[in-house]
Amino acid sequence: MSKYGSGRGFAALALAAALSLGLGQGAARAEAPSAYPSRAVTIVVPFGPGGSADVYARTVAEQLGRETGKPFIVENRPGAGAVIGTQFVAKAAPDGYTLLMMSNTQTVNESLLRQKPYELMRDFVAVAPVNEAPLVLVVRSSLAPKTLPELVRQAKAAPGKLNYASSGTGTPYHMAGELFKNMAGVDIVHIPYKSSGGARTDVLGGQVDMMFDAVSTMGDLIATGKVRPLATTGKTRSSVLPNVPTMAEAGLPDYTATLWLGILAPKGTPQPIVDLLNQKIAKVVADPATQAIWARSGIEGMTMPPAAFTQYLNQDIAKWRRIVESAHIQVD
């Protein structure tokens, strides 16, 4: 399972259900922005309980409640590869009382799920990013390459012979692998699993050659020599794996593929409310105690104003559209 969401094995079948739900048809008028918030605010997580999106949504909600004096409540609405919960918020009243905790799952969905009942940049406004985490490319301990250039050379010498595992088609782990293949110009076979756990087990067992996985998950396995790290996927080295080079340092300039989270609101939400939420979330993210806790898992806080976050979303959508189209990726 993806760190920030779930696989999409049933996504295509569930889209029709999402289209017919008509969820969250909020008709209430937005109050004066200066009075916001005057009641509880709901943060919808379009993934199941216990995942990273859920955990960090609850962290943000708790601290926003302290900041504003009003409760922020997390509500899980998983299903259809994040479509059901996202659609619910798209149809909610644009008054600031229903927000979406989104991940790069949604930016990939923009090109992967063409029949979904919403468009991210048409039906939402960007509020604020929350955090991001790099992945790490690991290979089975018995595989010969010790560095990323050595892996690329082996892959080019024997196209289609190496393979990599992921938690499912279209997940961040899969997309990180496809981005690697595209930028390195290599042919490596994708083997999708129903969860990250299954993929990880087969890499550890030597049945699969490699995978991209969360640094927090792989840290202990790397330390004990059960897998070999070749590179991490962020712009800078991971606080969990400081001795492992980034993909850019290892020979693929401009490669980044992080897991990240952010907050969106329905289109039409008053700008003063968006700006207030952005400021409050940035304060939560910048809290030294929060940053110290996140750093232990390789998580870095993200802050930027709404306009910059809007640009970030557009760039991420375009980036993954290029990969989805060039690799001809389709959901199962």
Side-chain angles (χ1 to χ4, degrees), residues 85-326:
T86 306
Q87 169 71 351
F88 178 86
V89 179
K91 288 182 170 292
D95 55 10
Y97 288 95
T98 307
L99 307 174
L100 177 72
M101 173 65 88
M102 60 92 66
S103 75
N104 40 321
T105 294
Q106 276 94 334
T107 55
V108 172
N109 279 353
E110 287 300 287
S111 51
L112 191 66
L113 303 179
R114 297 184 182 276
Q115 301 302 314
K116 66 188 185 312
Y118 61 85
E119 291 181 18
L120 209 62
M121 305 311 292
R122 180 194 68 194
D123 298 322
F124 292 91
V125 292
V127 175
V130 174
N131 62 28
E132 67 176 341
L135 302 174
V136 58
L137 171 59
V138 298
V139 299
R140 56 182 170 84
S141 58
S142 57
L143 198 68
K146 300 295 192 295
T147 66
L148 188 67
E150 289 176 1
L151 176 66
V152 171
R153 284 196 293 271
Q154 180 172 334
K156 287 185 174 180
K161 297 297 184 182
L162 294 174
N163 54 44
Y164 78 100
S166 84
S167 55
T169 301
T171 60
Y173 306 98
H174 173 214
M175 299 308 295
E178 293 302 318
L179 181 64
F180 168 56
K181 289 166 58 178
N182 181 278
M183 294 183 68
V186 295
D187 178 11
I188 299 175
V189 177
H190 174 225
I191 302 179
Y193 286 74
K194 293 182 179 179
S195 70
S196 292
R200 196 175 301 119
T201 296
D202 279 1
V203 173
L204 290 170
Q207 287 80 31
V208 184
D209 294 319
M210 69 195 82
M211 73 179 293
F212 287 85
D213 204 355
V215 296
S216 57
T217 303
M218 278 292 174
D220 289 343
L221 298 173
I222 290 169
T224 55
K226 294 180 179 178
V227 290
R228 183 184 308 119
L230 299 189
T232 56
T233 64
K235 291 182 179 179
T236 59
R237 294 195 179 197
S238 167
S239 57
V240 175
L241 299 170
N243 296 323
V244 178
T246 65
M247 296 285 283
E249 289 174 326
L252 285 183
D254 301 322
Y255 182 105
T256 57
T258 60
L259 301 167
W260 57 266
L261 295 170
I263 299 289
L264 303 184
K267 193 75 170 182
T269 301
Q271 192 61 43
I273 290 178
V274 171
D275 291 339
L276 175 65
L277 285 167
N278 180 274
Q279 293 163 14
K280 296 296 185 183
I281 292 168
K283 185 175 181 179
V284 168
V285 170
D287 177 69
T290 298
Q291 288 189 345
I293 292 170
W294 288 359
R296 289 198 288 270
S297 297
I299 309 294
E300 295 184 3
M302 295 174 68
T303 58
M304 60 183 78
F309 189 36
T310 299
Q311 183 179 14
Y312 180 90
L313 292 173
N314 279 317
Q315 290 172 343
D316 210 55
I317 290 168
K319 171 182 179 176
W320 297 121
R321 177 176 288 117
R322 178 175 63 85
I323 298 303
V324 167
E325 292 177 351
S326 66

